[in-house]
Amino acid sequence: MQNIPRPEHPRPDRFRPLWMNLNGKWQFAFDPGEEGLQSGWMDERPLPDRIIVPFAPESRLSDIHDESLHSVCWYKRMFDLPVAMIGRRVLLHFGAVDHEADVWLNGRHLGKHVGGYSPFFFDVTAFVNPANNHLVMRVLDNPSVAKCRGKQHTGRYPEGCLYMRMSGIWQTVWLEAVGKQFIRDWRIVADPGTGKVNVSLAVDGAGSNLKAEAVVYFAYEQNERISQTAPVQNSAACINLTVPCVRPWTPDVPNLYGMILTLRDTDGAVIDRVETYFGFRRIETRDGRLLLNGKPFFFKAALDQGYYPDSLYTPPTDEQQREDILWAKRFGLNGIRKHQIVPEPRFFYWCDRLGLMVWAEMADWGSRQPRLMDSLLAEWKDCMLRDINHPSIIAWVPTNEWICDDAGKASLQEVIQAKVRAYETTKVLDPTRLALDTSGYSHTRTDICDLHLGFPNAPEVKEWFNRRIADGGENGNIAGMIKNGNMTIGANNKVYCPGYKYGNEPIIIRELGNSGIMDYSPMRRWNISHAGPVTPT
């Protein structure tokens, strides 16, 4: 049996024991002439190359390591269904594929998904065979097309603050067996002040007189359990229960509670069962300060761009990802801003487990235009819903450095309206967390006054901060956005866009200065990686 890269369960926040990891060696081919669809590459003919999933073909660990510009590629693999899954309802999951994916199983087109960061799945029960299943995927990722791409460079070589492009499958692919009816999704809201837990469930599949059950236990002491049931009505259920003697989640003491969600029929028989977890954690602002579980705290964080030299977007191992978070804590940080990337769910899992607060951000660069807000926000909402139960996430950031002056072909008012829409969409979807319209530069509606500054040392920052905050108190705005010592960024050199003003939000300097490593500078040329196809030596 081949070694399976990234063999761990990709979603420990929604674990079902009957699953099959499809990572590993797949057939692969680039399609430079885009002839595959017309020529029928979705059939059982073999593809010429081999790739290691879930690593992007531009990466070393994929065994392809081709950094040339390719817009279309194809994947294929065969698999047998585990005996325990035969006769069950089976879902085929993709953690993330950049950017447009068409999927076939045994010659049947399952559908298309658009979006390089959001998860998707297909119900393959009617199409999967006990053995010799033929899975095919076509991926379209044209770097010149406007879309959410984060810090991927559109050219062949990285430069400035942009990194190597990547495409295709970059998160785990897996099969999962569920019940005839199954718990498709859920939202957990846990109040550390009262111990009240609200669980809203969505059920997939028709059925009458179904009941949903939630069992809660402290994750490290599974003896004491609290349970509650509720009827399923119109494919939904709402369960309320109260946990006594709450142990809240904080970065210093990241207490977690386990939860077992079960779907039962009229006789009480189990139809579906899934394991998850949650934390009692409340984040809010008051009088210009951040409060965690009702107490003021100082947010001390770093920006993490989520790239790995040999594997780009995909952590090479789960242990290395865990170690990254531990290093953040060793450096004395209590938080991370995950910048211009939506990481895999296990990143948030380890932040939950180890105790690190996260600002979760959409990879909006490439689509930060008013005319593209529908597609950006659709993908952003899918990413938010994937991660909405993680206690480590305290803030949502739908865009980054969207300057009001940077209207392009749009009017200033259109940019302002789009930024307000980004904030309001985020806040409506999750009112329990902090939301920003953008990180840094030209705010409209926001829960945080977030600044990006370029001072070389702390005394200069302190002097500027004290002087400019006084302006905010007097005029309702903060003058002089500073970048690299120049007051040139932001509409009229203001932190807030025209028509908006500072409203005593907590002020956080979210980016400060620039630093580089003298002996390691991946600028212009990706000097640790081969450019173009690898040739034997």
Side-chain angles (χ1 to χ4, degrees):
M1 178 180 292
Q2 64 170 326
N3 269 340
I4 298 179
R6 300 303 309 275
E8 60 283 337
H9 194 285
R11 297 298 306 270
D13 58 324
R14 45 180 64 209
F15 176 78
R16 290 182 174 92
L18 195 49
W19 72 291
M20 178 184 179
N21 194 319
L22 293 180
N23 291 345
K25 190 171 290 187
W26 291 46
Q27 299 176 38
F28 180 82
F30 291 115
D31 187 3
E34 299 191 26
E35 61 183 88
L37 279 176
Q38 185 175 355
S39 299
W41 287 13
M42 69 287 295
D43 63 18
E44 296 186 12
R45 77 187 73 184
L47 299 178
D49 298 316
R50 299 296 180 267
I51 189 170
I52 305 300
V53 169
F55 302 113
E58 294 83 2
S59 72
R60 286 180 181 274
L61 293 190
S62 70
D63 274 2
I64 297 293
H65 191 211
D66 188 335
E67 296 176 352
S68 306
L69 296 171
H70 296 282
S71 294
V72 180
C73 61
W74 289 75
Y75 294 79
K76 292 187 180 184
R77 72 156 291 162
M78 302 292 292
F79 68 88
D80 297 337
L81 202 62
V83 174
M85 285 191 184
I86 297 174
R88 299 286 299 273
R89 190 173 183 182
V90 178
L91 308 180
L92 171 62
H93 290 272
F94 295 87
V97 179
D98 195 9
H99 178 259
E100 296 183 17
D102 279 280
V103 184
W104 292 262
L105 180 63
N106 297 325
R108 181 69 173 259
H109 184 236
L110 300 178
K112 175 193 287 285
H113 177 267
V114 178
Y117 301 90
S118 53
F120 59 102
F121 73 87
F122 300 104
D123 186 337
V124 297
T125 309
F127 316 118
V128 70
N129 301 321
N132 298 319
N133 291 283
H134 187 243
L135 176 60
V136 182
M137 171 180 282
R138 176 185 184 267
V139 180
L140 172 64
D141 186 22
N142 188 333
S144 65
V145 173
K147 58 181 178 293
C148 294
R149 59 174 171 259
K151 288 213 164 185
Q152 299 181 57
H153 198 283
T154 56
R156 183 170 182 178
Y157 298 116
E159 63 179 321
C161 67
L162 299 178
Y163 297 92
M164 175 55 62
R165 291 166 289 99
M166 52 78 59
S167 58
I169 298 172
W170 66 276
Q171 290 185 26
T172 292
V173 184
W174 77 102
L175 295 169
E176 178 185 44
V178 298
K180 183 178 180 182
Q181 296 90 23
F182 71 98
I183 303 169
R184 182 187 180 108
D185 210 350
W186 57 90
R187 173 78 198 277
I188 303 171
V189 178
D191 185 353
T194 63
K196 292 182 178 180
V197 182
N198 174 267
V199 189
S200 303
L201 301 98
V203 175
D204 192 296
S208 59
N209 299 319
L210 298 178
K211 286 188 177 182
E213 177 189 54
V215 176
V216 172
Y217 56 91
F218 186 59
Y220 310 106
E221 297 173 10
Q222 299 190 25
N223 300 330
E224 300 178 15
R225 299 192 172 208
I226 300 168
S227 64
Q228 187 60 266
T229 61
V232 176
Q233 298 176 328
N234 299 320
S235 299
C238 185
I239 301 174
N240 294 289
L241 47 82
T242 301
V243 175
C245 303
V246 164
R247 286 175 264 200
W249 186 96
T250 70
D252 293 329
V253 186
N255 291 315
L256 295 175
Y257 285 76
M259 179 179 287
I260 301 171
L261 298 172
T262 305
L263 194 63
R264 300 181 185 273
D265 63 17
T266 52
D267 299 323
V270 174
I271 301 174
D272 188 46
R273 184 179 185 273
V274 60
E275 298 175 26
T276 186
Y277 66 87
F278 67 96
F280 283 96
R281 193 268 301 121
R282 183 171 70 244
I283 185 72
E284 58 190 321
T285 66
R286 189 185 308 151
D287 300 326
R289 304 188 72 177
L290 290 171
L291 279 74
L292 179 66
N293 301 329
K295 298 178 181 179
F297 76 97
F298 185 79
F299 187 59
K300 186 166 52 175
L303 183 148
D304 177 4
Q305 309 206 32
Y307 272 81
Y308 293 84
D310 289 331
S311 52
L312 303 180
Y313 267 10
T314 312
T317 66
D318 190 46
E319 179 58 28
Q320 182 166 339
Q321 183 165 229
R322 176 180 178 273
E323 192 64 20
D324 286 347
I325 295 164
L326 286 173
W327 270 112
K329 292 181 69 68
R330 292 185 189 114
F331 285 135
L333 305 180
N334 62 15
I336 282 289
R337 174 183 167 206
K338 202 67 174 177
H339 178 51
Q340 281 302 294
I341 186 174
V342 180
E344 61 177 55
R346 289 193 69 92
F347 171 81
F348 296 114
Y349 165 72
W350 285 119
C351 290
D352 296 338
R353 284 279 306 274
L354 300 174
L356 196 67
M357 294 181 288
V358 183
W359 282 29
E361 181 176 310
M362 185 58 190
D364 70 295
W365 283 13
S367 63
R368 195 177 51 199
Q369 305 171 35
R371 66 181 180 85
L372 297 176
M373 284 303 288
D374 285 348
S375 59
L376 186 155
L377 291 179
E379 187 173 357
W380 173 233
K381 287 191 287 187
D382 286 344
C383 294
M384 284 183 64
L385 289 172
R386 187 198 74 174
D387 299 325
I388 204 164
N389 291 317
H390 289 286
S392 58
I393 297 176
I394 63 168
W396 300 112
V397 186
T399 70
N400 175 61
E401 295 186 347
W402 195 351
I403 307 168
C404 276
D405 285 349
D406 188 21
K409 295 182 180 179
S411 68
L412 173 61
Q413 194 57 40
E414 286 175 320
V415 173
I416 291 174
Q417 290 173 352
K419 287 157 68 73
V420 171
R421 184 183 170 198
Y423 168 84
E424 292 179 342
T425 299
T426 302
K427 200 68 177 179
V428 167
L429 192 60
D430 184 8
T432 71
R433 288 182 175 87
L434 307 178
L436 286 77
D437 56 345
T438 194
S439 181
Y441 312 164
S442 306
H443 288 299
T444 56
R445 293 193 62 192
T446 182
D447 294 338
I448 299 289
C449 178
D450 166 291
L451 309 177
H452 295 183
L453 307 178
F455 291 104
N457 57 59
E460 289 190 30
V461 174
K462 185 176 181 180
E463 189 276 332
W464 176 88
F465 190 81
N466 290 335
R467 185 176 74 251
R468 296 309 182 186
I469 298 313
D471 294 341
E474 294 172 6
N475 307 319
N477 207 334
I478 300 172
M481 278 297 294
I482 305 291
K483 191 71 173 180
N484 297 326
N486 299 312
M487 295 194 299
T488 57
I489 292 184
N492 302 317
N493 294 327
K494 302 289 186 180
V495 174
Y496 286 80
C497 288
Y500 294 85
K501 62 182 181 180
Y502 177 62
N504 201 32
E505 298 88 5
I507 298 173
I508 294 181
I509 300 175
R510 201 60 202 88
E511 293 185 24
L512 178 62
N514 295 284
S515 62
I517 302 173
M518 293 182 63
D519 295 330
Y520 178 73
S521 179
M523 305 284 285
R524 302 187 184 281
R525 290 289 189 269
W526 190 246
N527 65 352
I528 60 165
S529 182
H530 182 83
V534 175
T535 55
T537 57

